[in-house]
Amino acid sequence: MASDKSLVAVTCTAPINIAVIKYWGKRDEELILPINSSLSVTLHQDQLKTTTTAVISKDFTEDQIWLNGRKEDVGQPRIQACLREIRRLARKRRSADDKDPPPLSLSYKVHVASVNNFPTAAGLASSAAGYACLAYALAQVYGVEHDLSEVARRGSGSACRSLYGGFVEWQMGEQADGKDSIARQVASELHWPELRVLILVVSAEKKPTSSTVGMQTSVETSPLLRFRAEAVVPARMAEMIRYIKERDFQGFGQLTMKDSNQFHATCLDTFPPISYLNDVSRRIIHLVHRFNTHHGQTKVAYTFDAGPNAVIFTLDDTMAEFVAAVRHSFPPESNGDKFLKGLPVRPALLSDEVKAALDMAPTPGVIKYIIATQVGPGPQILDDPQAHLLGPDGLPKPAA
């Protein structure tokens, strides 16, 4: 893609991912190397995605970046780390490919615009989608054909998992330079077509303790975190991969919940303690367990990242009934028609037996909305020039 044309523009999209075996804690803050491996599910971009346009031009005098329409500081260390790494790979590739001097485009400055179609920094893995998309778009404009795990990881650790669709493992690696700390696909997005995902948005507010700060404090103060990383996660990774390959929802769902609970236990074991869950999150946990107990099997499973929003895994034949259970327990206040977004879910009536089993007084208005989605593919390039977020002058297009 990179050439000596005066302007090269690429727009791509990237997905968010939800970890079912959690990443929490770094062994190297600068290279963003984790203390344990992790495993995630990539969500479909029809519902949740970041869109990024990268443009390089000989006429640009400095790198610039806009996020969700606002100009941001391109000097942020993590953005700089991504830019440095992609340019290093581009130069390395050119010097290996031919004896000619590298094309001028490698010295061109870049303008980047990125938008999310979901709340940023609200515990919905926005940084993972954002940095995966940034790495992918930069690779296209600078002509880099290389595993981008390292580039994306330098922006946000979990971003390397958003470079692939389906079910993705981030191997912690052992080397000090992090060259073996990479993401790889465990199974494609087509592997488990019945799997469905519901995101219960409790709050779209920015979280009070950022993941970066939270992780650092946990590594420094939580003995439970060290035990988890060394004694628990390796076996859980192997177990989770087996459940995914066998499409075993009972095993997958139970281990997903256990690992979420242990992650949040390490947050409470941190000093001072960190609590990302709130009372509504805890009520959702009770709802899931009562629903499963009523059915005598694990039909739904929750996981929570560093925020109060619940991510629910279930199969397509259970989704309608569980959405009805959520509506019953957490009735929408005034946005009944906008309460459910994403994939269509057929209305279902909740039996009196299920209502009695849930045994929860309704709490109206505390779940803002539900996003229904499924497993999806990795980053995509948009070929339509109309999709570019930046105009020919390299500046954001005016809002339509």
Side-chain angles (χ1 to χ4, degrees):
M1 195 47 102
S3 70
D4 283 332
K5 287 192 294 185
S6 64
L7 184 141
V8 179
V10 171
T11 296
C12 67
T13 63
I16 75 170
N17 70 77
I18 299 297
V20 289
I21 301 293
K22 303 294 188 189
Y23 149 57
W24 194 250
K26 306 180 192 71
R27 66 178 192 274
D28 186 309
E29 287 284 339
E30 188 189 346
L31 296 177
I32 308 196
L33 302 178
I35 62 170
N36 62 266
S37 297
S38 56
L39 202 148
S40 61
V41 180
T42 300
L43 303 190
H44 207 288
Q45 294 172 62
D46 282 355
Q47 285 76 44
L48 297 150
K49 68 182 174 191
T50 294
T51 304
T52 299
T53 297
V55 180
I56 57 172
S57 169
K58 65 177 175 44
D59 299 325
F60 296 164
T61 56
E62 59 179 355
D63 296 329
Q64 295 192 67
I65 190 163
W66 292 265
L67 299 181
N68 292 314
R70 285 181 48 193
K71 190 167 182 185
E72 300 284 341
D73 176 14
V74 78
Q76 287 177 41
R78 292 191 170 194
I79 293 172
Q80 284 299 308
C82 289
L83 284 168
R84 265 197 315 275
E85 187 60 23
I86 207 81
R87 285 166 171 157
R88 182 187 71 77
L89 290 171
R91 279 192 297 275
K92 184 177 167 188
R93 177 179 176 240
R94 294 312 163 122
S95 58
D97 277 2
D98 51 54
K99 307 292 175 277
D100 299 328
L104 289 172
S105 58
L106 288 191
S107 65
Y108 290 176
K109 300 297 184 185
V110 66
H111 287 191
V112 176
S114 193
V115 295
N116 297 332
N117 68 346
F118 55 91
T120 306
L124 285 184
S126 57
S127 62
Y131 280 107
C133 211
L134 177 65
Y136 200 78
L138 290 173
Q140 299 298 319
V141 291
Y142 284 115
V144 171
E145 296 168 7
H146 188 277
D147 179 81
L148 297 175
S149 288
E150 192 167 0
V151 184
R153 196 189 71 222
R154 296 295 292 273
S156 173
S158 53
C160 66
R161 298 191 309 244
S162 277
L163 292 169
Y164 299 94
F167 303 83
V168 184
E169 171 189 20
W170 175 16
Q171 299 168 338
M172 64 178 282
E174 294 173 3
Q175 295 170 323
D177 64 4
K179 297 296 181 197
D180 59 345
S181 183
I182 57 170
R184 75 170 189 97
Q185 189 182 65
V186 169
S188 87
E189 62 270 22
L190 305 175
H191 170 70
W192 200 346
E194 302 83 12
L195 193 65
R196 294 290 179 272
V197 185
L198 296 165
I199 300 174
L200 277 47
V201 179
V202 171
S203 167
E205 301 299 308
K206 198 164 180 174
K207 53 200 174 197
T209 306
S210 77
S211 299
T212 305
V213 172
M215 273 186 210
Q216 217 164 351
T217 315
S218 293
V219 168
E220 289 162 7
T221 64
S222 170
L224 179 58
L225 182 68
R226 183 65 52 192
F227 174 78
R228 165 182 161 74
E230 293 171 2
V232 179
V233 170
R236 281 188 173 177
M237 287 291 294
E239 214 180 327
M240 186 63 88
I241 289 170
R242 190 176 81 248
Y243 290 142
I244 288 166
K245 290 196 165 166
E246 293 173 359
R247 293 187 281 272
D248 175 351
F249 188 80
Q250 295 287 302
F252 171 84
Q254 287 184 27
L255 188 53
T256 294
M257 291 187 282
K258 286 177 182 176
D259 204 72
S260 175
N261 293 339
Q262 190 179 74
F263 156 54
H264 289 282
T266 65
C267 291
L268 284 177
D269 190 48
T270 299
F271 195 81
I274 306 165
S275 185
Y276 287 113
L277 306 182
N278 62 20
D279 288 345
V280 183
S281 314
R282 286 181 277 274
R283 287 177 70 84
I284 293 167
I285 289 171
H286 294 315
L287 171 70
V288 167
H289 284 293
R290 285 170 183 168
F291 186 89
N292 287 337
T293 300
H294 171 73
H295 285 288
Q297 59 177 304
T298 300
K299 298 200 75 161
V300 288
Y302 55 77
T303 187
F304 294 82
D305 281 338
N309 299 323
V311 177
I312 304 291
F313 290 99
T314 189
L315 299 177
D316 58 351
D317 61 2
T318 305
M319 189 156 75
E321 187 188 19
F322 187 72
V323 167
V326 172
R327 277 185 182 273
H328 169 74
S329 306
F330 307 100
E333 221 158 34
S334 56
N335 65 337
D337 55 332
K338 297 193 180 74
F339 186 62
L340 187 62
K341 304 169 186 280
L343 294 177
V345 179
R346 60 179 174 77
L349 286 172
L350 214 54
S351 70
D352 291 338
E353 291 82 10
V354 174
K355 287 178 186 174
L358 297 180
D359 190 26
M360 292 175 80
T363 318
V366 293
I367 291 181
K368 307 286 182 264
Y369 53 91
I370 301 172
I371 303 168
T373 184
Q374 58 192 335
V375 186
Q380 311 283 306
I381 296 171
L382 303 182
D383 293 322
D384 180 6
Q386 297 299 312
H388 292 332
L389 304 173
L390 297 170
D393 56 0
L395 298 174
K397 290 180 179 176

